[in-house]
């Protein structure tokens, strides 16, 4: 596959469109890592970006540094998510792009030590949190002329990649994270089928150096946001129900 550089989003032609439309984008978990870098890059593309984060101090710092607006949100709390949507409704009145980025890693290693509480904690952020946020923000998305949802999933949820000995995804055991990302990718396809008039796609950032993996990934955080930024800056009428990496669209299995 052709390598896609991080200097600008893929496809390149979408950037001008985003600037012209003054796109309003809400990103969960945007105070650090992939979320923060996505925010930075989309602001460069001309988006109005709303930094969603649970930690107020970090969220406000990121927003001030990037030129965004901070909106408090804890994706595991119904009331917090509802308040965030109400906040955006009051100030912006709509969003054009929702990026469900917030995620947690969960325990690694021997799955024999897992507890139900471990599973609930990971799924509550990585899957149920996406449902909470998407449902709350749908009325705001439906006020857009070209609404889109980007779910930050992972190749770690792919059966094919986690069984390919040549792939780094096959060399780790992270039972709950991988399971949650498999669920999120399938949830994405179901949203894409059921939400008429809204593009819903999943992004695989790839193995990126972030706090989530102790900065062990070989990709930079900018490289890790290529697919997310690409999906957030596509032209109206682009496809839905896709799983995209920084190298382009990929099959999921």
């Amino acid at each position: 596959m052709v390598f896609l550089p991080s200097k600008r989003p893929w496809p390149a032609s979408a950037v001008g469109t985003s600037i012209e439309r003054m796109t309003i984008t809400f990103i969960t978990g945007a105070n650090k890592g992939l979320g923060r870098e996505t925010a930075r890059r989309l602001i460069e593309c001309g988006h109005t970006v709303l930094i969603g984060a649970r930690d107020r101090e970090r969220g406000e710092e990121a927003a001030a540094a990037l030129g965004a607006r901070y909106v408090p949100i804890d994706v595991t709390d119904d009331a917090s998510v509802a308040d965030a949507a109400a906040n955006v409704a009051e100030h912006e009145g709509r969003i054009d792009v929702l990026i469900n980025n917030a995620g947690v890693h969960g325990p690694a290693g021997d799955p024999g030590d897992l507890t139900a509480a471990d599973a609930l904690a990971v799924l509550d952020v990585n899957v149920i949190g996406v449902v909470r946020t998407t449902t709350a923000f749908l009325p705001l998305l439906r006020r857009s002329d070209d609404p889109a949802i980007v779910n930050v999933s992972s190749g770690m949820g792919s059966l094919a990649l986690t069984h390919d000995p040549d792939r780094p995804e096959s060399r780790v055991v992270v039972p709950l994270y991988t399971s949650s990302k498999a669920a999120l990718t399938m949830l994405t396809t179901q949203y894409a089928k059921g939400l008429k008039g809204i593009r819903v796609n999943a992004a695989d950032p790839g193995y990126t150096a972030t706090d989530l993996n102790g900065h062990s990934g070989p990709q930079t955080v900018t490289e890790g946001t290529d697919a997310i930024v690409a999906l957030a800056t596509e032209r109206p009428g682009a496809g839905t129900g896709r799983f995209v990496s920084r190298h382009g669209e990929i099959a999921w299995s």
Side-chain angles (χ1 to χ4, degrees):
M1 292 183 177
V2 177
F3 175 79
L4 296 172
S6 300
K7 294 182 180 179
R8 59 185 180 183
W10 163 83
S13 58
V15 177
T17 303
S18 296
I19 294 173
E20 293 166 7
R21 292 175 53 243
M22 296 299 290
T23 305
I24 300 172
T25 299
F26 186 91
I27 310 172
T28 66
N31 60 290
K32 63 179 182 177
L34 292 172
R36 180 168 178 150
E37 179 65 2
T38 298
R40 184 191 69 79
R41 293 181 68 182
L42 290 179
I43 289 168
E44 285 189 348
C45 292
H47 286 216
T48 295
V49 172
L50 307 177
I51 299 281
R54 179 175 57 182
D55 187 305
R56 178 174 290 276
E57 183 177 352
R58 290 181 177 180
E60 289 178 343
E61 182 278 325
L66 296 175
R69 187 171 81 82
Y70 169 62
V71 179
I73 186 170
D74 178 349
V75 300
T76 68
D77 183 87
D78 290 344
S80 175
V81 173
D83 287 346
N87 181 308
V88 176
E90 178 182 355
H91 288 88
E92 285 78 24
R94 78 171 202 279
I95 61 170
D96 301 291
V97 182
L98 171 63
I99 301 179
N100 287 308
N101 168 74
V104 294
H105 191 270
D110 186 359
D113 295 329
L114 294 177
T115 67
D118 292 333
L120 287 170
V122 173
L123 293 171
D124 202 17
V125 177
N126 295 1
V127 182
I128 301 169
V130 171
V131 173
R132 284 192 186 94
T133 305
T134 300
T135 299
F137 279 78
L138 274 176
L140 295 166
L141 282 164
R142 287 180 169 136
R143 296 175 188 173
S144 171
D145 293 333
D146 182 39
I149 298 171
V150 180
N151 292 329
V152 180
S153 190
S154 172
M156 291 288 289
S158 164
L159 295 175
L161 297 187
T162 55
H163 285 80
D164 183 345
D166 294 327
R167 298 282 306 202
E169 292 90 344
S170 70
R171 297 191 286 273
V172 295
V173 178
V174 195
L176 299 177
Y177 180 79
T178 54
S179 300
S180 71
K181 292 304 183 179
L184 179 57
T185 304
M186 182 55 71
L187 182 66
T188 300
T189 68
Q190 294 299 297
Y191 274 139
K193 291 179 181 180
L195 294 178
K196 305 303 180 185
I198 300 177
R199 292 196 313 279
V200 190
N201 293 294
D204 171 21
Y207 192 11
T208 303
T210 66
D211 287 351
L212 201 68
N213 55 42
H215 294 270
S216 61
Q219 288 186 169
T220 67
V221 73
T222 302
E223 291 169 334
T225 56
D226 279 348
I228 305 169
V229 173
L231 290 170
T233 56
E234 289 183 312
R235 294 182 181 277
T240 190
R242 294 168 295 149
F243 192 25
V244 174
S245 77
R246 66 191 298 257
H247 302 291
E249 188 171 344
I250 59 178
W252 179 73
S253 61

